Amino acid sequence: MEFLPIFLNIKGRKCVVVGGGDIARRKTAVLTQAGGNVHVITGNDSDSPTEFDQLKSITLVEKSFSASHLKNAVLAVAATDNPEVNLAVYKSAHDLGIPVNVVDQPNLCSFIMPSIVDRSPVVIAISSSGTSPVLTRTIKELNDSLIPERIGELALLFGSYRERVSHEIPEVSMRVRFWEGLLDSDVPEMVYAGNIS
């Protein structure tokens, strides 16, 4: 395994994206969906602010990148066409101990942004460790078509009963069997059909 798959809580926390084009906009969109407080450093590499007009909760900084932009950040993404800027972002983030992703340069990444199937709160992340983004996208599309649209609603329903079930069935192995039985029942299909009240 090249990278440890983890889910990082970035809600309300500063994330920095360096770049002003479409790739930077897509990375920014993912980070804002996860609740990040995203600072986009566009420099002169930008069609901005139009590229970012539809995104909420971002701070647009139309200046050249400097290490000071990473102050208090929890992660950084470099998405420019300029190898020198990308390398500067990598080195600055590395020196500060901040996880960094340099788009299309796995050797300059301490983390990879996977393809995502989002049925919140159920989220499936798919990665090829940066070796084959097209394959990763194909696997994402396959998962997108196979995973029920309302599986997130099922997770929320089960979550709403979790504490009560833990109280009623204190033994872990019996509790696991209960949830497995529920998954094998008609309940999931009822939820997927929208029949919950």
Side-chain angles (χ1 to χ4, degrees):
M1 185 167 28
E2 292 283 320
F3 291 87
L4 176 68
I6 61 172
F7 289 84
L8 184 65
N9 183 353
I10 62 168
K11 284 182 176 55
R13 304 185 76 187
K14 180 180 177 182
C15 303
V16 175
V17 175
V18 181
D22 187 56
I23 293 172
R25 185 194 57 75
R26 288 196 312 260
K27 300 298 184 187
T28 300
V30 170
L31 294 172
T32 58
Q33 284 176 327
N37 176 9
V38 185
H39 292 233
V40 183
I41 315 302
T42 61
N44 299 320
D45 175 37
S46 180
D47 301 327
S48 70
T50 57
E51 286 285 334
F52 298 90
D53 277 348
Q54 296 177 340
L55 299 177
K56 297 175 183 172
S57 305
I58 69 166
T59 301
L60 203 59
V61 180
E62 297 186 82
K63 295 181 179 178
S64 296
F65 170 76
S66 74
S68 65
H69 289 127
L70 297 179
K71 184 179 180 183
N72 299 321
V74 295
L75 65 82
V77 176
T80 79
D81 292 331
N82 186 326
E84 291 177 3
V85 173
N86 288 342
L87 185 59
V89 174
Y90 167 77
K91 286 181 176 177
S92 298
H94 184 267
D95 290 347
L96 293 168
I98 298 170
V100 61
N101 175 279
V102 179
V103 174
D104 289 336
Q105 293 187 264
N107 58 316
L108 297 182
C109 294
S110 61
F111 76 94
I112 297 288
M113 291 183 72
S115 288
I116 297 169
V117 177
D118 186 359
R119 304 282 194 275
S120 291
V122 175
V123 178
I124 301 166
I126 304 154
S127 173
S128 64
S129 299
T131 60
S132 180
V134 173
L135 175 61
T136 303
R137 188 178 68 232
T138 301
I139 295 169
K140 174 202 181 306
E141 289 166 359
L142 180 63
N143 275 275
D144 237 345
S145 66
L146 293 175
I147 305 298
E149 283 292 324
R150 293 186 168 179
I151 201 163
E153 292 176 35
L154 181 65
L156 290 171
L157 177 65
F158 282 9
S160 71
Y161 285 96
R162 188 171 177 193
E163 188 175 322
R164 181 175 170 186
V165 169
S166 293
H167 183 263
E168 297 284 331
I169 310 172
E171 189 181 324
V172 174
S173 61
M174 290 182 68
R175 201 162 57 236
V176 168
R177 281 197 294 274
F178 168 80
W179 289 118
E180 288 173 344
L182 202 55
L183 279 170
D184 287 337
S185 74
D186 293 334
V187 171
E189 289 304 321
M190 291 170 63
V191 172
Y192 301 154
N195 297 330
I196 53 172
S197 54

